[in-house]
Amino acid sequence: MTPRRPTRNPATAQAPEAAKTPKVPAVKSAQPARAAQAPAPEAAALPVPPAGTPPRPRRSGEGVPAHPVDAADRWRLLAGEHHDPHGLLGAHRVAQGVAFRALRPCAQAVTVLAEGVRAELHDDGDGLFSGVLPLDEVPRYRLLVTYADGHETETEDPYRFLPTLGELDLHLIGEGRHEELWTALGAHPMTHQGVAGTRFTVWAPNARGVRLAGEFSYWDGTGLPLRSLGRSGVWELFVPGLGEGTLYKFEVVGPDGHHSLRADPMARRTQCPPETASVVTASAYEWRDQEWMAHRGDRPVHEAPFSVYELHLASWRPGLGYRELAEQLPAYVKELGFTHVELMPVSEHPYSPSWGYQVTSYYAPTARLGTPDDFRFLVDSLHRAGIGVLVDWVPAHFPKDDWALARFDGTPLYEHPDPRRAEHPDWGTLEFDYGRTEVRNFLVANAVYWCQEFHIDGLRVDAVASMLYLDYSRESGEWAPNEYGGRENFDAVAFLQEMNATVYRRCPGVVTIAEESTAWEGVTRPTDSGGLGFGLKWNMGWMHDSLVYMSKEPVHRKYHHNEMTFSMVYAYSENYVLPISHDEVVHGKQALVTKMPGDWWQRRANHRAYLGFMWAHPGKQLLFMGQEFAQGAEWSEAHGPEWWLTEDAYHSAGDHRGIRDLVRDLNAVYAATPALWERDTVPEGFQWSLGDAGEDNVLAFLRYDAQGSPLLAVSNFSPVVRHDYRLWAPEGTAAWAEVLNTDDARYGGSDVRNADPVKAEPGAVRLTLPPLATVWFRPA
């Protein structure tokens, strides 16, 4: 936007004539009767007349100000570049009494109202009004502002208030250690010095000035400049009369004098996109999930059942908001038996097709679905249904929108100053400067914020690999090595370690999960042992290899057998989650069932067999919405899952609803069988029964719980029935009984089963293996 400038040239302007010959205070009248009247209702802090109203011309014979503003100060104030507007505006003791000065653009007159005093200030031009009253102390006063159309409003003066931030807050911000940063920065309704209003604070250390603009000022920030709170880089203003629901932005003047309107980086509520203003908010929500919160950390997550349903909130049931989702989602997830949901990013983002992975407001749940308290209600409802809530968190990059974080104060602030480390080549976005203490604090506090303020049970951190490597997606010459000549981003490593350590310390029972696609060592190792400190890591290698195998025709699978066994070579190097996520069912990758070869029956059989193998394999599991009932189309955020496939009109025995029933039963048996989750991360929990039967497309292994009780999982990835198939089995078990069979007719299979417990031989067991199926057995 074009910066507003005073009408005079500051380089040549002379002080007003009044400065040479001070006169008596510009007191038009003193009418105690007026001051004794009841105060008018509190109005917006900066009421203005309709757009286009000209300022009142100076009246003949009007008095002159007794305490004029220095020309340079006046210019900086009107240009929005003054660091201490409170030093000029408001009320101050002077030799002659108390000097009052107000900046009210377009006002016709400004009158000071105090006990026993009614005094009209002198019009200094450009919206400035001043005068000196012969008072001994600064009184409790209000301003009566009159406009050309005769409209009057009585209001508090924002510039009579002391700063609202204390030294401890500023010290912690400067140190980059304010773990509840959202309580210090942003917009906060509060009562200050006995007056209700809102505190506005923003970090913009390189700005020449910052002003507040909003619907209350027709988006003109001239009348509400913020003060700089010293070396902290924080600007602050308490505005009486503004409260919840107020739309606002910060007008930031960069080092080059350019003015830009910016959304609040710490906004806890926003307008609904495509609108971009921040919204003043305060939570009034009363949580009812105390039992869940008290016990969610009773068992370490890597030793607990952990089965995740990933979804995109806006398209799971298109048209539903947070409150409506709370009526349907918990019941659906609970019926299917998942222990957790994982929500694709819920932080506010301007571009819907980004699915939330290009965030502009890190502290605000998207307004597309409701208010922050509406989102709290959804989380609360899931908790009361016994379901944990994970959210995708995106500290790897942010978009370049000129109203958001990019060059926020006119300089690279949140992004790295070196373009080779700021520009993200894949997504056209900017990467955070993890080496800057305040930026790191912004992100670490944000992780704590979601867990603390919204009772989130876990953060899945997106694109960790892109943070760890300086050469990620960059060619030679497009990146600069670290101080040791390597490609590791040590600033990002330190940030991730601090984030994980802080979240685990402050939020017991929370888990952090890394989407990390390389072999970086120690992703889930504790930070005090040199690791990154995550609780779990997505096993991208298992996902890729197993899907390559499953996409092959059965006759060719023997040449890819190692794709299914290689995961056990590194299965215990980290604490893993096995992800079939949204990334695997979009952009031409096809839905899970469509990746499978063969006709429709074979595709569904492969789909079922694969899920049975996945649920039995060491590691936790994650499944994206729509794959639980094998929809054939890729996911689209425009219309979400194809729910019609599960309706009666499209249902045949064992079709889509049959696969959904299988997922329900997989989760039920999984949760009731400690062998499938209790020793996920130690070698003692796994043993091959048959790992080299590539010619037969058969895989068999045992899972053990802490007491040594086994479960035998056998997958036959060929379309033939294998009768009397001999497998190794441990001694001491007389017979093995089917627990779950993905070929069951209820799920749409051919119903080839081991109906009775199968007697064991010394060191072996002979089974009937159904075609394209996984069967689980436990000792009878």
Side-chain angles (χ1 to χ4, degrees):
M1 62 179 288
T2 303
R4 295 177 60 90
R5 299 294 185 187
T7 55
R8 298 183 298 150
N9 184 338
T12 59
Q14 300 295 317
E17 185 67 25
K20 302 176 183 177
T21 55
K23 305 287 184 177
V24 296
V27 179
K28 299 289 292 183
S29 61
Q31 301 178 24
R34 169 70 180 181
Q37 296 175 4
E42 189 65 59
L46 185 61
V48 299
T53 302
R56 174 176 64 85
R58 182 166 298 182
R59 291 175 295 184
S60 176
E62 186 175 27
V64 296
H67 189 67
V69 178
D70 176 79
D73 276 338
R74 180 189 180 98
W75 182 87
R76 287 196 299 269
L77 180 66
L78 296 175
E81 299 183 9
H82 205 291
H83 281 227
D84 185 24
H86 290 70
L88 300 178
L89 303 176
H92 303 275
R93 290 289 304 278
V94 294
Q96 300 95 332
V98 176
F100 293 84
R101 184 173 290 107
L103 176 57
R104 294 282 160 163
C106 300
Q108 180 84 0
V110 176
T111 302
V112 173
L113 305 178
E115 183 176 359
V117 175
R118 177 188 176 96
E120 183 176 337
L121 300 180
H122 178 269
D123 184 349
D124 298 339
D126 297 319
L128 282 169
F129 298 82
S130 70
V132 175
L133 303 186
L135 303 172
D136 294 331
E137 300 289 341
V138 174
R140 170 73 181 270
Y141 69 94
R142 293 167 67 86
L143 299 177
L144 179 66
V145 185
T146 306
Y147 295 97
D149 61 359
H151 172 72
E152 289 187 337
T153 183
E154 185 178 326
T155 182
E156 294 279 0
D157 182 2
Y159 297 93
R160 77 171 183 83
F161 293 91
L162 298 171
T164 54
L165 281 185
E167 290 299 322
L168 179 59
D169 282 317
L170 296 176
H171 172 76
L172 292 174
I173 291 170
E175 290 285 312
R177 299 290 180 183
H178 203 307
E179 295 177 0
E180 293 187 349
L181 187 65
W182 67 94
T183 66
L185 298 182
H188 291 267
M190 62 189 306
T191 298
H192 181 50
Q193 295 178 216
V195 176
T198 296
R199 177 191 71 195
F200 296 89
T201 47
V202 64
W203 178 62
N206 302 306
R208 286 189 185 179
V210 179
R211 301 193 287 201
L212 182 69
E215 58 181 355
F216 46 85
S217 66
Y218 294 95
W219 298 102
D220 181 355
T222 303
L224 287 174
L226 280 68
R227 61 179 150 204
S228 172
L229 298 181
R231 298 173 58 186
S232 66
V234 175
W235 301 75
E236 180 265 357
L237 180 67
F238 175 75
V239 184
L242 295 187
E244 288 191 66
T246 299
L247 303 182
Y248 72 97
K249 284 188 178 182
F250 292 112
E251 182 185 344
V252 180
V253 186
D256 60 355
H258 176 71
H259 289 227
S260 62
L261 276 179
R262 299 285 181 152
D264 184 356
M266 301 294 298
R268 290 169 293 129
R269 184 180 174 189
T270 67
Q271 275 187 299
C272 186
E275 303 299 328
T276 59
S278 304
V279 183
V280 176
T281 189
S283 176
Y285 190 75
E286 296 184 6
W287 291 91
R288 295 186 289 164
D289 63 348
Q290 289 79 9
E291 184 175 358
W292 170 270
M293 296 294 289
H295 296 287
R296 68 179 181 179
D298 286 353
R299 183 189 290 269
V301 68
H302 63 281
E303 297 176 356
F306 193 85
S307 177
V308 182
Y309 182 65
E310 185 193 22
L311 69 146
H312 180 249
L313 276 177
S315 67
W316 184 73
R317 295 279 189 181
L320 300 187
Y322 296 127
R323 295 270 175 175
E324 294 79 15
L325 284 163
E327 297 174 2
Q328 298 186 31
L329 182 61
Y332 182 79
V333 175
K334 187 175 182 66
E335 180 186 2
L336 289 183
F338 287 98
T339 65
H340 291 72
V341 294
E342 180 178 315
L343 310 179
M344 291 168 68
V346 297
S347 300
E348 192 60 272
H349 51 283
Y351 185 53
S352 294
S354 77
W355 310 331
Y357 291 98
Q358 295 193 9
V359 178
T360 47
S361 294
Y362 276 79
Y363 285 78
T366 178
R368 294 171 176 87
L369 305 178
T371 68
D373 276 357
D374 292 338
F375 180 64
R376 288 180 172 91
F377 181 79
L378 173 60
V379 175
D380 202 2
S381 299
L382 286 160
H383 281 174
R384 286 184 283 116
I387 300 161
V389 181
L390 317 173
V391 297
D392 280 12
W393 186 56
V394 193
H397 63 123
F398 59 93
K400 296 180 179 180
D401 299 75
D402 59 8
W403 51 268
L405 296 180
R407 296 185 65 86
F408 182 79
D409 64 357
T411 68
L413 187 64
Y414 288 91
E415 65 270 39
H416 202 283
D418 185 343
R420 293 172 298 178
R421 295 181 64 173
E423 294 282 340
H424 199 294
D426 284 350
W427 303 310
T429 51
L430 297 171
E431 298 185 19
F432 284 101
D433 182 1
Y434 305 107
R436 184 161 193 164
T437 56
E438 297 94 340
V439 174
R440 194 169 63 244
N441 192 177
F442 172 81
L443 292 170
V444 171
N446 185 244
V448 174
Y449 171 77
W450 287 100
C451 299
Q452 193 165 307
E453 291 291 321
F454 294 97
H455 292 197
I456 297 301
D457 304 296
L459 301 172
R460 176 267 194 185
V461 183
D462 182 66
V464 170
S466 73
M467 302 164 64
L468 293 174
Y469 298 98
L470 296 170
D471 63 345
Y472 185 87
S473 289
R474 294 176 172 88
E475 301 296 331
S476 177
E478 296 178 346
W479 62 282
N482 60 36
E483 57 266 41
Y484 301 106
R487 64 194 187 109
E488 300 83 4
N489 187 341
F490 294 127
D491 290 339
V493 170
F495 156 66
L496 291 170
Q497 290 175 324
E498 181 181 347
M499 180 277 297
N500 281 314
T502 305
V503 167
Y504 279 107
R505 171 171 51 81
R506 292 188 62 101
C507 309
V510 165
V511 62
T512 59
I513 307 166
E515 185 210 15
E516 203 285 306
S517 55
T518 73
W520 185 280
E521 185 179 356
V523 172
T524 58
R525 185 188 306 153
T527 56
D528 58 7
S529 300
L532 296 182
F534 285 94
L536 297 168
K537 172 183 172 177
W538 274 18
N539 193 335
M540 310 296 282
W542 172 90
M543 176 273 298
H544 177 268
D545 293 347
S546 63
L547 289 180
V548 167
Y549 177 89
M550 295 302 299
S551 68
K552 305 300 181 183
E553 293 283 351
V555 69
H556 301 303
R557 283 175 173 168
K558 62 184 178 182
Y559 304 112
H560 299 272
H561 192 72
N562 65 307
E563 306 277 5
M564 296 295 267
T565 60
F566 182 66
S567 60
M568 292 312 303
V569 173
Y570 60 88
Y572 306 110
S573 61
E574 303 281 3
N575 302 336
Y576 283 117
V577 175
L578 313 179
I580 299 299
S581 72
H582 65 278
D583 277 331
E584 309 316 315
V585 297
V586 292
H587 295 161
K589 295 182 181 179
Q590 303 179 309
L592 182 58
V593 72
T594 314
K595 297 176 191 288
M596 308 300 176
D599 59 24
W600 180 232
W601 188 93
Q602 290 175 321
R603 286 184 171 186
R604 286 182 291 126
N606 275 299
H607 183 102
R608 294 191 302 268
Y610 182 68
L611 294 180
F613 170 78
M614 174 182 174
W615 254 250
H617 191 284
K620 313 308 179 182
Q621 54 276 330
L622 175 144
L623 190 66
F624 184 61
M625 66 181 190
Q627 313 316 301
E628 78 274 16
F629 57 84
Q631 72 172 47
E634 288 185 339
W635 168 63
S636 166
E637 80 280 351
H639 57 73
E642 298 180 324
W643 296 110
W644 55 270
L645 292 171
T646 64
E647 296 174 359
D648 290 337
Y650 298 92
H651 177 61
S652 60
D655 201 352
H656 296 281
R657 290 204 303 209
I659 293 176
R660 190 171 65 183
D661 289 344
L662 169 64
V663 171
R664 177 198 63 204
D665 293 348
L666 283 170
N667 277 324
V669 178
Y670 169 80
T673 308
L676 292 173
W677 43 263
E678 198 169 35
R679 302 170 89 181
D680 262 334
T681 60
V682 293
E684 294 79 7
F686 177 90
Q687 187 176 22
W688 282 110
S689 174
L690 185 64
D692 57 358
E695 291 289 335
D696 297 335
N697 297 345
V698 173
L699 291 156
F701 53 83
L702 292 128
R703 300 294 309 279
Y704 295 94
D705 66 18
Q707 284 70 45
S709 299
L711 179 136
L712 174 63
V714 186
S715 295
N716 175 22
F717 290 115
S718 60
V720 299
V721 180
R722 300 193 182 278
H723 297 282
D724 201 31
Y725 198 84
R726 189 175 187 273
L727 300 171
W728 176 85
E731 301 282 355
T733 299
W736 294 84
E738 275 192 13
V739 180
L740 183 141
N741 185 336
T742 67
D743 193 52
D744 194 308
R746 293 176 300 155
Y747 311 139
S750 59
D751 214 29
V752 174
R753 306 179 64 189
N754 297 268
D756 299 319
V758 180
K759 292 183 179 180
E761 302 174 1
V765 62
R766 294 181 182 273
L767 305 170
T768 296
L769 304 185
L772 298 175
T774 294
V775 188
W776 294 354
F777 301 86
R778 66 160 58 111

